[in-house]
């Protein structure tokens, strides 16, 4: 793996489906975290150059030289086509793949639990599958646990439903914590962020 250019920005990708009908779905938690990060950066998303996505350029971390440049991304393709817009933006901004982080829902982790890692499989997640097919697996993942579907509910039905009333009571807290984890990844590195947020 090449050493990343220390001045290259990070590409922070919130995975989800576009449109108001999907906004509250479990599958859209990546968009929720990206929206919160956008509020912290203090900007609004705009249509991306050369890609089917919304982007916001800014800085996170403490003011001054310790802050880090980021490009926040919400692909406007549907989830299973996320790789195209992400790859186009990677090339446009000249960002090494290891400086890309995907924020996504994760079935095999309890609700609200976070796991950060570099590389790995897609575990059946269509957004990750598309990204990995487009550029290989060596990007970071911020995995937001949503748990498994109850009873015999199909996975596709479960991820495309809104969080339950009980889950929504804690959702803001968990989304806020996931945004903190993304900031820690960018400013402190993977190992320290894992130590602080992997639970």
């Amino acid at each position: 793996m090449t050493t990343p250019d220390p001045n290259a920005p990070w590409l922070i990708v919130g995975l989800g489906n576009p449109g108001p009908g999907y906004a509250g779905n479990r599958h859209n938690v990546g968009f929720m975290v990206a929206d919160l990060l956008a509020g912290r950066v203090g900007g609004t998303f705009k249509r991306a150059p050369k890609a089917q996505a919304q982007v916001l350029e800014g800085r996170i971390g403490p003011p001054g030289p310790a802050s880090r440049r980021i490009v926040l991304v919400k692909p406007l393709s549907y989830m299973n086509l996320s790789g195209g817009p992400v790859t186009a933006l990677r090339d446009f901004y000249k960002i090494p793949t290891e400086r890309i982080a995907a924020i996504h829902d994760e079935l095999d982790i309890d609700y609200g639990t976070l796991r950060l890692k570099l590389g790995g499989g897609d575990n059946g997640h269509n957004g990750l599958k598309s990204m990995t097919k487009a550029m290989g697996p060596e990007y970071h993942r911020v995995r937001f646990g949503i748990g498994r579907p109850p009873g015999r509910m199909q996975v596709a039905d479960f991820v495309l439903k809104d969080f339950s009333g009980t889950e929504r009571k804690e959702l803001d807290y968990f989304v806020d914590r996931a945004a903190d984890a993304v900031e820690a990844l960018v400013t402190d590195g993977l190992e320290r962020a894992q130590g602080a947020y992997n639970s």
Side-chain angles (χ1 to χ4, degrees):
M1 189 183 298
T2 56
T3 304
D5 172 0
N7 297 312
W10 277 76
L11 198 67
I12 307 297
V13 183
L15 289 177
N17 286 308
Y22 295 101
N25 289 179
R26 293 181 177 92
H27 223 19
N28 270 44
V29 75
F31 274 18
M32 296 174 197
V33 177
D35 285 337
L36 181 60
L37 285 166
R40 292 182 181 184
V41 168
T44 54
F45 282 100
K46 62 183 182 184
R47 192 64 189 241
K50 317 273 190 196
Q52 193 180 358
Q54 291 183 318
V55 294
L56 168 60
E57 297 178 48
R59 303 187 81 90
I60 58 176
S67 71
R68 299 284 182 267
R69 289 172 60 212
I70 63 164
V71 181
L72 275 172
V73 182
K74 294 197 297 183
L76 295 177
S77 59
Y78 283 87
M79 180 72 85
N80 60 350
L81 299 172
S82 301
V86 174
T87 306
L89 290 167
R90 177 197 66 178
D91 296 345
F92 179 80
Y93 288 103
K94 298 180 172 56
I95 295 173
T97 302
E98 59 268 25
R99 283 222 172 188
I100 297 173
I103 311 162
H104 65 92
D105 56 303
E106 178 62 64
L107 286 160
D108 286 339
I109 304 175
D110 290 341
Y111 174 60
T113 299
L114 295 175
R115 294 268 196 286
L116 285 77
K117 69 173 188 172
L118 173 64
D122 57 58
N123 202 22
H125 191 287
N126 287 331
L128 298 182
K129 199 175 289 184
S130 178
M131 285 180 61
T132 297
K133 184 177 179 184
M135 61 188 185
E138 289 303 310
Y139 54 91
H140 289 82
R141 297 100 191 279
V142 178
R143 305 158 73 204
F144 186 110
I146 60 170
R148 301 293 304 184
R152 298 187 178 189
M153 184 185 288
Q154 295 296 309
V155 165
D157 294 333
F158 180 67
V159 299
L160 293 175
K161 283 195 184 313
D162 287 1
F163 286 99
S164 69
T166 303
E167 288 170 333
R168 280 198 296 270
K169 290 175 184 172
E170 295 183 293
L171 183 59
D172 287 349
Y173 168 76
F174 289 139
V175 168
D176 191 68
R177 191 166 181 270
D180 290 345
V182 172
E183 291 195 10
L185 170 64
V186 171
T187 58
D188 301 333
L190 178 62
E191 207 168 301
R192 288 181 67 180
Q194 286 175 323
Y197 292 97
N198 279 18
S199 47

